[in-house]
């Protein structure tokens, strides 16, 4: 687990005046993540990527691990695609740029990183990967509810035996709390798949040499499997010990 370590918990933004309900729920998830870090003996520093690279850099300089949280769709120009796709969400381009820089630095410097939902996608895009821009409605990766708390769909994923994710979860299957309409398409450099859904959708990736892991679901959600977040946060501590 995270012990005596400062973890930078990176969100897209500190305010969403045009989407207050979504922002409140995003903050609830972030707070649950922070509480889990503290529960494991670490300390957490919130970082808001839309405040720019300088503020993020200062926080990362003091961090011994990074968590990239969920949020808005990544602007498609960062992975060579076009706008105008189905169910396109809002974009925060400055936050995209800053988080991509954080992921690049983490991999380069072997700084332990856990990406959650969008955070997994940031890791992939930072390493030259691309995204499936919209998973079909009814695919089982989310509900179509308007209320953020009701968007989560529970489904199982198959975890690759022998993967880092397998060692953390201790099983080759996991039940997820999922609320995403995008997913990894082309894998970024150095990434390998560590879990898939029944339909083949990539649900987790990890780097072959750097201590970087991403999951497409939300282990910090209230509906997530008990203990799953604590085990995944263990990637920050165990990766440091192995570095």
């Amino acid at each position: 687990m995270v012990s005596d370590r400062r973890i930078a918990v990176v969100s897209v933004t500190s305010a969403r005046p045009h989407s207050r309900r979504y922002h409140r729920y995003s903050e609830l998830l972030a707070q649950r993540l922070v509480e889990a870090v503290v529960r494991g003996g670490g300390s957490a520093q919130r970082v808001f990527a839309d405040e720019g690279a300088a503020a993020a850099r200062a926080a990362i300089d003091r961090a011994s691990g990074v968590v990239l949280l969920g949020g808005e769709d990544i602007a498609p120009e960062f992975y060579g695609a076009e706008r105008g796709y189905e169910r396109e969400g809002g974009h925060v381009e400055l936050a995209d740029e800053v988080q991509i820089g954080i992921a690049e630095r983490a991999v380069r410097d072997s700084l332990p990183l856990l990406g959650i939902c969008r955070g997994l996608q940031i890791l992939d895009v930072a390493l030259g990967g691309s995204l499936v821009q919209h998973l079909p409605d009814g695919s089982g990766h989310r509900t179509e509810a308007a209320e953020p708390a009701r968007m989560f769909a529970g489904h199982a994923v198959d975890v690759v035996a022998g993967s880092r994710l397998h060692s953390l979860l201790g099983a080759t299957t996991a039940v997820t709390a999922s609320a995403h309409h995008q997913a990894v398409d082309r894998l970024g450099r150095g990434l390998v798949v560590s879990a898939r859904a029944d339909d083949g959708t990539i649900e987790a990736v990890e780097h072959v040499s750097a201590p970087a892991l991403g999951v497409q679901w939300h282990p910090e959600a209230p509906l997530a499997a008990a203990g799953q977040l604590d085990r995944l946060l263990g990637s920050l501590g165990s990766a440091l010990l192995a570095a």
Side-chain angles (χ1 to χ4, degrees):
M1 241 333 268
V2 183
S3 177
D4 298 324
R5 297 180 174 93
R6 183 192 297 268
I7 305 302
V9 178
V10 187
S11 298
V12 171
T13 182
S14 62
R16 294 179 175 90
H18 302 297
S19 187
R20 297 181 189 278
R21 184 169 55 178
Y22 174 69
H23 186 69
R24 283 194 300 270
Y25 197 73
S26 294
E27 282 298 294
L28 181 149
L29 297 182
Q31 185 57 40
R32 287 175 60 87
L33 191 289
V34 167
E35 290 170 357
V37 169
V38 173
R39 184 169 62 244
S43 63
Q45 179 178 1
R46 296 292 304 277
V47 180
F48 302 102
D50 68 340
E51 294 180 357
R57 188 180 307 114
I60 301 304
D61 285 345
R62 297 188 297 271
S64 52
V66 179
V67 178
L68 298 177
L69 294 176
E72 285 77 0
D73 291 358
I74 301 168
E77 50 265 35
F78 285 102
Y79 52 93
E82 300 294 328
R83 298 200 182 202
Y85 55 88
E86 188 175 354
R87 300 289 182 92
E88 183 172 5
H91 306 293
V92 186
E93 291 85 349
L94 176 57
D96 297 340
E97 182 178 352
V98 169
Q99 289 190 321
I100 287 169
I102 290 171
E104 290 173 338
R105 176 179 172 180
V107 170
R108 183 186 69 240
D109 296 347
S110 292
L111 179 67
L113 181 147
L114 173 64
I116 293 175
C117 196
R118 167 191 161 96
L120 174 152
Q121 296 168 10
I122 286 284
L123 174 62
D124 182 57
V125 169
L127 298 175
S130 65
L131 302 180
V132 177
Q133 291 187 301
H134 182 68
L135 297 170
D137 294 347
S139 63
H141 294 281
R142 67 191 178 282
T143 72
E144 306 307 321
E147 178 64 37
R150 297 181 180 275
M151 290 179 62
F152 289 89
H155 69 82
V157 300
D158 294 320
V159 177
V160 174
S163 65
R164 191 178 312 146
L165 181 64
H166 178 208
S167 69
L168 291 166
L169 297 180
T172 54
T173 61
V175 176
T176 70
S178 176
H180 62 100
H181 85 114
Q182 298 187 312
V184 169
D185 186 6
R186 183 181 65 249
L187 281 169
R189 297 178 302 276
L191 295 178
V192 294
V193 175
S194 47
R196 289 185 186 269
D198 288 345
D199 64 2
T201 298
I202 295 173
E203 291 284 342
V205 300
E206 55 194 58
H207 197 273
V208 294
S209 57
L213 170 71
V215 297
Q216 188 60 77
W217 66 90
H218 284 270
E220 83 283 24
L223 296 177
Q228 189 179 84
L229 177 58
D230 293 336
R231 288 191 291 271
L232 290 172
L233 284 174
S235 67
L236 304 179
S238 62
L240 276 171
L241 293 172

